[in-house]
Amino acid sequence: MITASHSQLMAQYNEWMNSRLYALCASLSDAELRKDRGAFFQSIYATLNHIAYGDLAFLSRFTGNPSVVPEPGADLFGTFSLLRAERAALDQRILVWSASLSATWLAEPLTYASKIDGKTRTVPRWVLVTHMFNHQTHHRGQVTTLLSQMGLDVGSTDIPFMSQFH
């Protein structure tokens, strides 16, 4: 099982990577962000939108907020500037939430219905927390690959390169 401190580290990593990734993406035009690049979600924008969707879905399960999660694939915010602002707010929310976690809460089972496959599952919360952070990292990796293919480098993506470890 993961610990609350592991979740806090992953929340810090999430915020660190998103701030760097979004800063680089802000240098691109809307057309470049939305261009179909052959990725699973086609574009950089759609992939970033999907990461936000996943975070909202998990936070809904963990906290009840939002009470209703949009359908998968919905454009949550409409523009990159709104997506970026909401991402920053969402990252702060994840940081605060992760600081509230306890071993007891992490160990408790959670039953939820997936909007992706429609199945209902019951798993320990720590499994879902692990998946939320893994989901973020996986799809950010797709975005960094797309940016790299464009000749843009987000820099190191390694946890030990975060400022608290310097």
Side-chain angles (χ1 to χ4, degrees), residues 20 24 144 147-148 151-156:
R20 297 167 65 234
L24 184 56
T144 60
L147 292 168
S148 179
L152 301 171
D153 183 11
V154 72
S156 177

Side-chain angles (χ1 to χ4, degrees), residues 53-139:
Y53 167 83
D55 288 349
L56 288 169
F58 284 109
L59 287 172
S60 176
R61 292 172 190 141
F62 300 148
T63 70
N65 181 12
S67 59
V68 176
V69 178
E71 292 305 308
D75 185 346
L76 300 174
F77 307 108
T79 67
F80 177 77
S81 62
L82 285 175
L83 174 60
R84 186 180 187 189
E86 291 296 328
R87 175 77 264 168
L90 189 53
D91 289 345
Q92 291 308 305
R93 185 173 164 209
I94 292 170
L95 284 165
V96 170
W97 166 79
S98 70
S100 75
L101 300 181
S102 68
T104 301
W105 186 91
L106 287 164
E108 291 174 350
L110 178 71
T111 300
Y112 73 100
S114 171
K115 283 196 169 193
I116 303 302
D117 67 6
K119 293 183 180 179
T120 298
R121 294 177 174 84
T122 300
V123 297
R125 286 182 177 142
W126 72 267
V127 171
L128 295 173
V129 172
T130 298
H131 181 66
M132 179 184 77
F133 290 122
N134 188 63
H135 180 263
Q136 296 165 347
T137 301
H138 168 71
H139 289 299

Side-chain angles (χ1 to χ4, degrees), residues 12 15-16 20 158-166:
Q12 293 164 4
E15 190 276 330
W16 178 69
R20 297 167 65 234
D158 297 341
I159 291 172
F161 284 64
M162 292 169 48
S163 62
Q164 70 254 45
F165 299 115
H166 286 153

Side-chain angles (χ1 to χ4, degrees), residues 28-45:
L28 301 172
S29 69
D30 190 60
E32 285 293 314
L33 288 168
R34 293 178 186 266
K35 180 179 178 181
D36 186 341
R37 299 184 180 281
F40 188 81
F41 293 101
Q42 290 78 44
S43 70
I44 291 169
Y45 178 87

